[in-house]
Amino acid sequence: MPLITVKPGVYVVGGRVLSHILDTNVYLVNVNNFYILIDAGTSLGLNNLLGNLMELNISIEDLRYVILTHSHFHAVGGAYIFNNLPSLIVAHEPDSSYLRKLDLKKMSVTEDLRNMLFPIYVSINIPLNKHVFKLPGGITIIHTPGHTEGSISVFVENVGVLFVGDLTSNILSKDWGSDEEVYHRSIREIITLVEKYNVEVLCSSYNCIRGTRSIVEFLEQLLSKKPLWV
């Protein structure tokens, strides 16, 4: 499958048209000559995802971190293949615990996909009291709850890209532990970060927005809209 280049060193290697119709975007990032994966798609698209990595001459053993932005199956279902590999799976509590326990509601899994779900063992479990967490290579993880309780955003400063998972989906659910007030607070925090660092690219679970002003305007529009509760 053709890959999508966001900018040099940042690629979309999975997603609706690249790996499986149920997959959210999976991003590969070259961080100071080591590689990280942002989300992992469902288990349904793994063969295509691995094939896309091979097009870049990268094997799953080459990945240093697999960072999961939230607990939903469409973003994390494929991460189980990293359980016994050197790659470190990173997620924030409480979402990380839902991945181990296979909490179907918190992972937004329908009964027909239950058999495609496997436990995911998080190597770096960011505790609830840790709002900002740093990884080597200038990777900053910010706890941005509201969509789910453990949702995170990932700022890779040396490439100037901010990854926000489903923060911009504007869809909430009691089953996921969503909180509208907290959700809006997280969006405001991301606006502050974008303006402070003049972030030029913001990538979500489904697309990327370019230009600091465009990103801020988009996020401000989200604040003006009523979220869809499902």
Side-chain angles (χ1 to χ4, degrees):
M1 297 291 289
L3 304 174
I4 299 171
T5 301
V6 176
K7 61 183 303 187
V10 182
Y11 306 92
V12 186
V13 293
R16 288 172 170 174
V17 299
L18 291 176
S19 49
H20 192 275
I21 188 66
L22 295 181
D23 288 358
T24 56
N25 279 3
V26 180
Y27 298 96
L28 177 77
V29 187
N30 184 341
V31 182
N32 296 333
N33 296 316
F34 68 83
Y35 294 98
I36 66 171
L37 206 65
I38 308 288
D39 288 330
T42 68
S43 54
L44 301 165
L46 275 176
N47 287 339
N48 288 329
L49 173 62
L50 298 178
N52 292 337
L53 289 173
M54 288 179 63
E55 284 194 31
L56 292 167
N57 294 315
I58 294 168
S59 72
I60 54 177
E61 288 83 3
D62 296 325
L63 299 173
R64 178 81 64 87
Y65 299 109
V66 179
I67 304 175
L68 306 177
T69 61
H70 62 295
S71 59
H72 290 165
F73 176 67
H74 61 192
V76 305
Y80 78 92
I81 64 166
F82 300 99
N83 283 341
N84 297 309
L85 292 173
S87 312
L88 299 177
I89 301 175
V90 183
H92 204 292
E93 282 284 1
D95 284 27
S96 52
S97 65
Y98 304 146
L99 306 183
R100 293 190 300 272
K101 299 173 185 175
L102 297 185
D103 187 313
L104 298 188
K105 283 188 176 181
K106 300 295 188 182
M107 295 183 73
S108 191
V109 178
T110 54
E111 285 294 332
D112 59 313
L113 293 175
R114 178 192 286 266
N115 291 336
M116 299 302 299
L117 192 63
F118 306 94
I120 297 162
Y121 302 114
V122 175
S123 310
I124 300 179
N125 179 32
I126 305 173
L128 274 171
N129 63 356
K130 199 74 173 175
H131 186 70
V132 176
F133 187 81
K134 301 277 189 176
L135 289 173
I139 303 168
T140 301
I141 296 173
I142 308 105
H143 187 207
T144 49
H147 179 70
T148 68
E149 298 160 280
S151 289
I152 57 174
S153 297
V154 184
F155 183 42
V156 185
E157 189 168 355
N158 78 314
V159 297
V161 181
L162 175 63
F163 302 90
V164 297
D166 260 3
L167 181 67
T168 59
S169 70
N170 214 31
I171 300 174
L172 306 178
S173 172
K174 297 292 185 185
D175 285 344
W176 311 335
S178 300
D179 184 305
E180 186 170 340
E181 182 179 346
V182 172
Y183 176 70
H184 283 159
R185 187 164 67 231
S186 292
I187 293 174
R188 292 189 190 97
E189 180 173 6
I190 290 303
I191 291 174
T192 299
L193 187 150
V194 168
E195 292 179 326
K196 178 179 178 180
Y197 291 96
N198 292 314
V199 175
E200 281 295 321
V201 184
L202 179 144
C203 289
S204 71
S205 291
Y206 296 104
N207 61 5
C208 294
I209 302 170
R210 300 176 186 275
T212 304
R213 190 68 249 161
S214 296
I215 294 168
V216 170
E217 288 175 355
F218 172 72
L219 294 172
E220 287 176 341
Q221 287 176 6
L222 274 182
L223 291 175
S224 69
K225 297 177 181 178
K226 188 73 177 172
L228 173 64
W229 285 86
V230 296

